[in-house]
Amino acid sequence: MLAFSGSCLRISSWDVVFACVVFFLCSCVFDRLTNKGPMLWPVLGIMPSIPLWQDHVYEWSVHALKKAGGTFHFRGAWFGKMYGIVTVDPANVEYMLKTNFGNYPKGKYYRERFVDLLGDGIFNADDELWKEQRRVATSEMHSARFVRHSFGSMQELVHDKLMKILEKTAESCGVIDLQDILLRFTFDNICCAAFGVNPGCLSPELHRVPFAKAFEESTELSLFRFLVPPYIWKPMRALGLGTEKRLKEAVQIVHHFANKTVSDRRSKLKRLGSLNDSSDLLSRLMENKTYCFSDMYLRDFCISFILAGRDTSSVALVWFFWLIHKHPHVEHRILCEITNVLSRRTEEETRTPGGGVPFKAQELNEMVYLHAALTESLRLYPAVPIEMKEVREDDVMPDGTRLRKGARVFCSLHGMGRMEEIWGKDCEEFLPERWITEEGRFVSESQFKYAVFNAGPRLCVGKRFAYTQMKMVAATVLASYQVRVAEGHVAAPKVTTTLYMRYGLPVTIHSRKLGGQS
Ligand code: HEM
């Protein structure tokens, strides 16, 4: 029994328990009356409201967003310093990503967790630091020289590596994990574009490449810092324990590879006096006439770039191949379009050495239905399912939601694709036709409704590159092979910052010949 000596007030343990229960019930009732979103519990915040079974998290969040009218508040467990909103309201998205852009940086919370891997790279930078890299990235990536170079190395990788692996699988009648193969393809591809070096993940033996493995591990372990409170991971980092020890080792391997690539290129420049024969981003930045970038800047720039362009297009392609398997009439229309494009080739153009159909940039541009099918697939399965920003100063969103300084805003790109208010009653259906006019032209949507590639000043720099990559892979593979998903496969999304398929995509590969191919 508790007692205050000298006072007639005596409080028993039962009184304390009773007071706690009353407090608990009152806060539950208060929460229900003021919050349209999921229940926020005392002490644990939103945590007990989130389903433990991973497969249901996305469905649950879509349901919660619909019920709350597009925006709800959340709070993490005590001491985690995590609170804010989740939104799918295009007006809020436009406000955050464009109108009041300066008040919604990536912020300290994000930066702290990624700084060991990314340093000051574009993906981890805000304000002036970001602005300069953005300017450089945009001008280099949109230069005719880079576009030509990246198209050539993409074509080479598709024909000399990817198609060879599919050919071997078709001959052996085996099953492969298409997700693993496509992740390997995009990793090699982005390293060629950024560094001018092919790490060789798509070798015929499908080795595990130490640099790629370390890159994957350091990304996953940096993301783990978002799941555990800072009072746990920070002391672990200081003492070099557990996941933090592994993160440090993985980052060392990534940085060693990147530092060596940068210093080798610097030596080559000194030796030859020019890097005119190399069109990758590292070489172009090193020879930049306006700026003189330090080796550390170049390293961080390239690592950020690899992170941004590594898994996104492959994951998008994985969902695309699964969706067209489920919707054979869409695949049929894509095949008709490819046949049509091939039928316009001259006899000489039709003869392609080594099998496969190397498509030209112009031919890919003509594939409007394929473009629409990829866009539609990304609407339902956005490669980046959630976008996070931090609030710099107290603010009010266009829908009236109040935000305190330091709050987090999560924009659910996955939820946005499934809102009736944005896409209509058929929002859950896979309908590439919604992107095409009666005259057969592709019509794009507002960036703030279709924020799959982000929007406003931080719109994805690699959007054009990604479409070329996805269209080239899809058209080349479909022109030569039918891809069948293994029977009984469950296509469930993994709950992380990239929308991987949780169990991969096991497929069999079957040869086919379209009209127009010799
Ligand atoms: C389907 C493929 C892709 C999708 C859906 C996608 C989506 C996105 C999204 C949502 C962001 C904002 C992320 C954030 O702020 O945290 C972003 C940023 C970025 N993306 Fe992509 N991306 C794709 C492919 C690529 C590729 C292939 C590259 C490189 C060649 C690339 C380069 C970048 C860069 C450098 C940024 C940072 C831009 C900035 O902060 O100013 N992306 N992308």
Side-chain angles (χ1 to χ4, degrees):
M1 176 172 303
L2 296 168
F4 294 127
S5 58
S7 154
C8 57
L9 183 62
R10 299 181 74 78
I11 302 175
S12 74
S13 330
W14 286 113
D15 292 332
V16 175
V17 171
F18 180 71
C20 286
V21 170
V22 170
F23 170 70
F24 176 77
L25 290 175
C26 287
S27 61
C28 290
V29 170
F30 179 74
D31 177 70
R32 282 295 77 200
L33 292 176
T34 55
N35 175 21
K36 291 178 286 172
M39 170 87 177
L40 301 179
W41 301 80
V43 184
L44 293 175
I46 198 169
M47 306 295 266
S49 300
I50 301 176
L52 286 176
W53 186 233
Q54 269 206 51
D55 282 354
H56 296 302
V57 171
Y58 285 102
E59 269 172 47
W60 167 84
S61 67
V62 170
H63 177 73
L65 282 159
K66 280 183 183 167
K67 207 171 133 215
T71 303
F72 65 75
H73 280 276
F74 73 90
R75 187 168 21 84
W78 273 5
F79 309 119
K81 293 189 187 163
M82 182 62 137
Y83 56 92
I85 61 164
V86 183
T87 189
V88 287
D89 184 333
N92 288 351
V93 174
E94 179 163 3
Y95 185 74
M96 168 176 99
L97 298 181
K98 190 179 120 187
T99 322
N100 202 4
F101 174 73
N103 200 36
Y104 296 88
K106 286 213 157 177
K108 183 170 168 256
Y109 186 85
Y110 187 96
R111 185 176 165 76
E112 255 188 357
R113 280 149 186 82
F114 265 114
V115 74
D116 293 320
L117 173 64
L118 298 179
D120 287 335
I122 182 170
F123 219 68
N124 207 29
D126 283 314
D127 306 316
E128 286 309 308
L129 206 54
W130 163 77
K131 221 183 233 171
E132 187 195 69
Q133 293 185 69
R134 174 83 195 186
R135 215 176 10 244
V136 171
T138 312
S139 85
E140 289 298 344
M141 277 199 78
H142 294 160
S143 73
R145 180 177 180 161
F146 179 80
V147 172
R148 221 176 24 251
H149 159 80
S150 55
F151 192 86
S153 60
M154 210 181 271
Q155 216 175 34
E156 221 175 279
L157 215 51
V158 171
H159 285 272
D160 298 352
K161 306 285 180 194
L162 179 66
M163 292 300 276
K164 292 281 178 310
I165 288 168
L166 298 187
E167 190 184 320
K168 219 167 95 183
T169 314
E171 281 167 9
S172 69
C173 301
V175 177
I176 45 162
D177 178 2
L178 191 61
Q179 177 164 268
D180 176 54
I181 301 297
L182 290 172
L183 287 170
R184 286 167 179 271
F185 162 75
T186 46
F187 192 78
D188 284 355
N189 196 184
I190 197 68
C191 288
C192 289
F195 276 147
V197 173
N198 182 349
C201 298
L202 260 192
S203 63
E205 301 78 25
L206 298 177
H207 291 308
R208 289 227 72 81
V209 173
F211 172 58
K213 189 165 170 278
F215 206 102
E216 191 180 322
E217 219 169 65
S218 38
T219 313
E220 278 181 11
L221 293 168
S222 300
L223 287 172
F224 188 67
R225 289 176 172 174
F226 287 84
L227 300 179
V228 286
Y231 54 83
I232 295 184
W233 69 261
K234 282 188 179 172
M236 279 170 72
R237 177 171 64 176
L239 298 168
L241 297 175
T243 49
E244 287 296 320
K245 179 169 179 268
R246 281 169 46 214
L247 174 60
K248 193 173 170 191
E249 288 162 0
V251 166
Q252 264 167 2
I253 297 175
V254 172
H255 283 184
H256 175 74
F257 181 94
N259 284 334
K260 187 165 178 328
T261 309
V262 173
S263 68
D264 285 354
R265 196 66 47 85
R266 190 73 78 191
S267 310
K268 186 175 169 191
L269 177 59
K270 271 201 192 121
R271 206 173 58 246
L272 302 177
S274 155
L275 294 171
N276 213 17
D277 60 337
S278 313
S279 302
D280 57 274
L281 283 178
L282 174 61
S283 303
R284 296 324 330 131
L285 293 187
M286 213 175 255
E287 275 204 312
N288 195 296
K289 300 273 182 289
T290 325
Y291 303 98
C292 179
F293 300 116
S294 71
D295 283 6
M296 175 92 94
Y297 180 101
L298 293 172
R299 180 194 78 183
D300 288 351
F301 184 91
C302 290
I303 290 178
S304 249
F305 207 80
I306 293 174
L307 181 78
R310 184 179 74 116
D311 290 353
T312 35
S313 347
S314 39
V315 162
L317 279 166
V318 169
W319 288 102
F320 165 81
F321 277 111
W322 175 74
L323 277 167
I324 60 165
H325 170 83
K326 305 266 290 174
H327 299 82
H329 62 283
V330 173
E331 180 172 3
H332 177 73
R333 279 201 67 177
I334 295 172
L335 293 177
C336 289
E337 187 173 70
I338 297 175
T339 309
N340 206 2
V341 166
L342 289 173
S343 70
R344 289 199 285 274
R345 285 183 167 184
T346 61
E347 210 173 294
E348 199 179 328
E349 282 172 329
T350 313
R351 265 183 265 119
T352 55
V357 187
F359 289 103
K360 288 174 280 184
Q362 177 54 31
E363 289 175 327
L364 294 180
N365 285 342
E366 286 166 19
M367 296 182 193
V368 174
Y369 190 79
L370 175 60
H371 196 96
L374 286 161
T375 306
E376 177 70 349
S377 164
L378 274 162
R379 181 181 71 82
L380 290 169
Y381 297 98
V384 180
I386 202 135
E387 176 71 27
M388 188 187 90
K389 299 284 181 204
E390 196 167 302
V391 183
R392 199 165 251 162
E393 295 297 336
D394 292 2
D395 203 359
V396 183
M397 283 270 169
D399 70 352
T401 306
R402 292 187 174 279
L403 287 164
R404 272 187 293 139
K405 175 181 173 171
R408 241 80 65 196
V409 180
F410 287 97
C411 163
S412 167
L413 306 180
H414 174 269
M416 284 186 93
R418 284 150 202 274
M419 291 295 136
E420 222 176 285
E421 291 75 8
I422 304 179
W423 302 103
K425 284 217 176 319
D426 53 10
C427 60
E428 300 268 356
E429 283 173 45
F430 177 56
L431 272 181
E433 287 73 12
R434 79 172 83 237
W435 297 93
I436 299 176
T437 62
E438 277 177 15
E439 298 79 43
R441 271 186 311 107
F442 179 86
V443 266
S444 44
E445 240 321 335
S446 146
Q447 281 178 21
F448 307 103
K449 283 186 184 173
Y450 186 78
V452 164
F453 288 93
N454 212 12
R458 280 194 101 138
L459 177 75
C460 171
V461 195
K463 186 175 171 186
R464 207 194 298 171
F465 181 100
Y467 266 108
T468 308
Q469 202 181 32
M470 293 187 293
K471 287 176 87 170
M472 190 186 290
V473 170
T476 313
V477 171
L478 290 174
S480 295
Y481 297 111
Q482 185 189 6
V483 177
R484 281 199 213 131
V485 177
E487 227 169 279
H489 171 67
V490 177
K494 198 169 163 180
V495 182
T496 178
T497 47
T498 308
L499 205 73
Y500 302 100
M501 263 194 199
R502 198 130 78 87
Y503 311 108
L505 186 65
V507 298
T508 52
I509 305 289
H510 308 268
S511 295
R512 76 165 141 225
K513 273 245 177 321
L514 288 184
Q517 266 183 278
S518 65

